[in-house]
Amino acid sequence: MLKVYFINPKSGLESFSYELPLNICQLISCIKNKDFIEKIGVLDLEFDENDINLIDSIENSDNTIFCIPIYTYYSEETINLCKAIKRTKDLVKIVVGGPHATLVGENLLRDNTEIDFVLQGEGDYSLPELLRAINFSDAYNQVNGLIYRDESNNVLKTGEFDRIEDISCLPLQTKGFEYFNLKKVKDKIGFLPYISSRGCSYNCIFCSSSNIWKRKLKLIPASTVIKEIEYIKSLGFNYINFRDDFFTANNKWLDSLLSGLKDLGIVWGCETRIDAVNDDLLFRMKESGCELLRFGIETFNQKSLDIIGKKFKADLAVENLKKVIDMGFYEIRCSFMVGIPGESVDDVKNTISICRQLKSMKSRFWALAPVIGTEIYNNMEKYGIKFINQVFNSTYSNIETTSMTNTEINNLLEFIYDEFKHPLTYYHRDFSDIIVN
Ligand code: SF4
């Protein structure tokens, strides 16, 4: 019988940015009724770093499994955590998954002997399969998306991971909520996130979504989402942050969802594409409780939008943003990037001046940081980009382009942060002020 501990690693951002880790909730829900699992525990280091001390009390046994998601921006810290665990608990097994593991899986296992297994893609089926194989000492070669070592320490991969075709019959993410201290989350953070769809069908060159989700969008049935939100409401949360990549992608699904949300009387927020909203939809979203809208605009320069593959027109983005502003949403957040291939200082200044005109939206500027596994990272030369250093933080740039030096990019960012505030000041306050009001 296995004892399985999930660790939500510490991001290093202030705790105010905390969101309940839905990926862990979902995986718990997928394994909680398995008869070969004796215990499930959660160490939520992002919520309370003191949870790290709980590791000492966990048994050093080959029946003890740690499951840890890895994110590119703090992958090094998470790998160090794996090393620290193995220093005192050499018998336990460490399974890593999540976006970074999906993007760089084989290298991750090859370079880090303290990691025993890498699971790529969605773990809903593969994690229970892997745990079953560990418990019964079965072969691992049937586990989808698994990278592991054989007895001679060769790194093996069970093949390219598949997307789950039908996510409607998966266990529910809320079934994992009970493993977290929701009372403290309510008191300190006040809202819960929820994922109602997985993936995005677009292929922007700087985004890892297409590699992780293979450009397929999968929806949880609207009726299920509504039941889940109803349950979340019954827990005392009236604010929901939808974490979908592209919330308004499917009109029919959205119609049912919006009428259900309206009946529930909650406040909610989401992220979507600026070309996927219109007057009627915005009205219905507002009417059903939407108060926080996030858009990834990146730039108002058409040439740059075409290069990064956003596939919308700059004019349409401005026109639709005006509609969003007129509709009176409590908060509209748009993100922009500095360091887009071919974009000059003047191009960025043009974007800044349009942001100034669209006063009631919050503009959040980031440094374009080529994330491992993305189109832009894989083809730096083609896009005329060079790394200056390997410090990835997206607040300050670590690249230069053919049209801007690294100093020019960072001077622009300094200038922008003075006027528009540091991007993390927005990141840190999802819903907080809405709740206070
Ligand atoms: S940036 Fe947004 S629209 Fe583009 S691929 Fe990523 S999730 Fe999809």
Side-chain angles (χ1 to χ4, degrees):
M1 297 273 274
L2 301 181
K3 292 179 181 161
V4 181
Y5 297 91
F6 289 88
I7 300 185
N8 186 27
K10 192 168 163 48
S11 67
L13 298 169
E14 289 169 36
S15 60
F16 201 38
S17 69
Y18 177 87
E19 279 197 354
L20 197 74
L22 294 175
N23 48 357
I24 292 179
C25 296
Q26 177 65 26
L27 292 173
I28 289 176
S29 155
C30 294
I31 66 165
K32 66 190 280 193
N33 294 323
K34 302 294 175 196
D35 53 11
F36 52 87
I37 295 176
E38 182 188 337
K39 178 183 167 70
I40 296 174
V42 173
L43 284 69
D44 192 349
L45 309 186
E46 179 69 346
F47 189 72
D48 183 353
E49 58 188 315
N50 294 322
D51 272 11
I52 192 86
N53 301 324
L54 300 175
I55 293 177
D56 291 344
S57 58
I58 294 173
E59 195 188 350
N60 180 20
S61 144
D62 54 8
N63 290 330
T64 300
I65 316 289
F66 285 93
C67 299
I68 310 175
I70 300 199
Y71 302 93
T72 303
Y73 282 115
Y74 46 103
S75 56
E76 216 175 300
E77 290 80 354
T78 309
I79 291 165
N80 286 340
L81 173 67
C82 297
K83 288 180 180 160
I85 294 172
K86 276 291 176 85
R87 264 199 294 278
T88 55
K89 301 190 190 304
D90 56 337
L91 297 176
V92 306
K93 294 185 179 64
I94 296 183
V95 183
V96 300
H100 192 68
T102 299
L103 294 170
V104 296
E106 277 159 291
N107 286 345
L108 192 60
L109 194 71
R110 203 165 276 127
D111 298 345
N112 299 288
T113 49
E114 46 292 311
I115 297 174
D116 298 284
F117 301 99
V118 171
L119 271 179
Q120 296 184 296
E122 295 149 292
D124 310 70
Y125 294 128
S126 55
L127 181 64
E129 282 166 13
L130 172 62
L131 296 177
R132 176 179 291 280
I134 293 172
N135 186 63
F136 295 106
S137 304
D138 289 344
Y140 299 127
N141 56 3
Q142 296 302 314
V143 181
N144 180 38
L146 178 67
I147 305 170
Y148 62 104
R149 291 185 197 85
D150 67 10
E151 280 159 7
S152 316
N153 264 333
N154 299 309
V155 171
L156 303 178
K157 188 174 174 177
T158 57
E160 200 47 41
F161 70 92
D162 299 322
R163 280 296 309 274
I164 295 172
E165 274 311 314
D166 181 7
I167 64 169
S168 68
C169 45
L170 292 176
L172 303 173
Q173 57 201 277
T174 53
K175 300 281 183 212
F177 281 14
E178 67 192 83
Y179 290 81
F180 291 81
N181 191 333
L182 290 186
K183 188 182 174 318
K184 274 196 183 166
V185 172
K186 184 163 186 325
D187 293 346
K188 198 169 168 192
I189 313 292
F191 69 93
L192 283 181
Y194 188 82
I195 291 181
S196 54
S197 66
R198 295 181 183 179
C200 168
S201 48
Y202 285 83
N203 193 19
C204 304
I205 64 169
F206 58 88
C207 176
S208 52
S209 174
S210 59
N211 284 354
I212 293 169
W213 302 112
K214 301 189 173 184
R215 300 188 67 181
K216 290 181 196 160
L217 175 75
K218 305 278 178 183
L219 306 164
I220 296 178
S223 55
T224 308
V225 178
I226 294 302
K227 273 191 211 134
E228 290 262 87
I229 302 296
E230 207 169 352
Y231 170 68
I232 291 174
K233 194 178 171 193
S234 77
L235 298 172
F237 290 89
N238 290 318
Y239 306 88
I240 311 291
N241 194 17
F242 285 101
R243 299 303 297 175
D244 311 39
D245 279 345
F246 183 8
F247 190 73
T248 65
N250 183 304
N251 289 334
K252 200 169 157 220
W253 174 82
L254 197 59
D255 281 348
S256 318
L257 197 56
L258 293 184
S259 57
L261 289 172
K262 187 177 167 190
D263 293 342
L264 282 179
I266 53 144
V267 174
W268 56 277
C270 70
E271 173 153 358
T272 192
R273 286 175 56 91
I274 194 60
D275 59 341
V277 292
N278 56 48
D279 279 330
D280 172 58
L281 176 61
L282 291 168
F283 177 78
R284 285 183 296 121
M285 287 171 81
K286 176 93 173 99
E287 194 187 40
S288 65
C290 180
E291 287 296 350
L292 173 67
L293 269 170
R294 298 181 298 271
F295 299 100
I297 308 287
E298 323 311 349
T299 170
F300 283 119
N301 296 294
Q302 191 57 54
K303 205 172 82 194
S304 312
L305 284 170
D306 294 342
I307 288 173
I308 59 177
K310 285 302 284 192
K311 303 243 185 298
F312 59 69
K313 296 288 175 210
D315 291 351
L316 179 76
V318 175
E319 196 182 309
N320 280 357
L321 280 170
K322 285 179 182 160
K323 289 178 185 171
V324 176
I325 291 167
D326 287 348
M327 200 61 69
F329 290 93
Y330 189 87
E331 189 153 316
I332 304 150
R333 292 182 203 165
C334 295
S335 63
F336 299 90
M337 291 189 309
V338 181
I340 292 174
E343 201 164 73
S344 65
V345 172
D346 283 346
D347 290 332
V348 178
K349 286 188 173 164
N350 177 50
T351 293
I352 295 172
S353 91
I354 297 174
C355 288
R356 280 191 193 118
Q357 290 159 33
L358 299 168
K359 280 197 194 83
S360 10
M361 74 181 196
K362 301 264 187 332
S363 302
R364 185 175 78 168
F365 285 76
W366 300 95
L368 186 151
V371 172
I372 204 156
T374 56
E375 157 74 14
I376 202 166
Y377 179 91
N378 293 337
N379 298 286
M380 301 267 293
E381 210 177 314
K382 171 178 153 195
Y383 291 106
I385 287 184
K386 276 193 202 139
F387 278 123
I388 294 294
N389 59 55
Q390 294 298 312
V391 181
F392 292 85
N393 62 22
S394 66
T395 305
Y396 289 102
S397 175
N398 66 343
I399 59 163
E400 66 179 14
T401 70
T402 47
S403 42
M404 276 197 273
T405 63
N406 181 257
T407 309
E408 281 175 322
I409 296 173
N410 281 325
N411 284 347
L412 260 176
L413 285 165
E414 284 283 3
F415 168 78
I416 289 165
Y417 296 158
D418 260 0
E419 179 169 345
F420 292 92
K421 292 201 176 80
H422 192 282
L424 292 182
T425 58
Y426 298 136
Y427 185 72
H428 280 178
R429 44 189 281 281
D430 262 35
F431 282 100
S432 57
D433 48 357
I434 297 177
I435 291 163
V436 170
N437 290 314

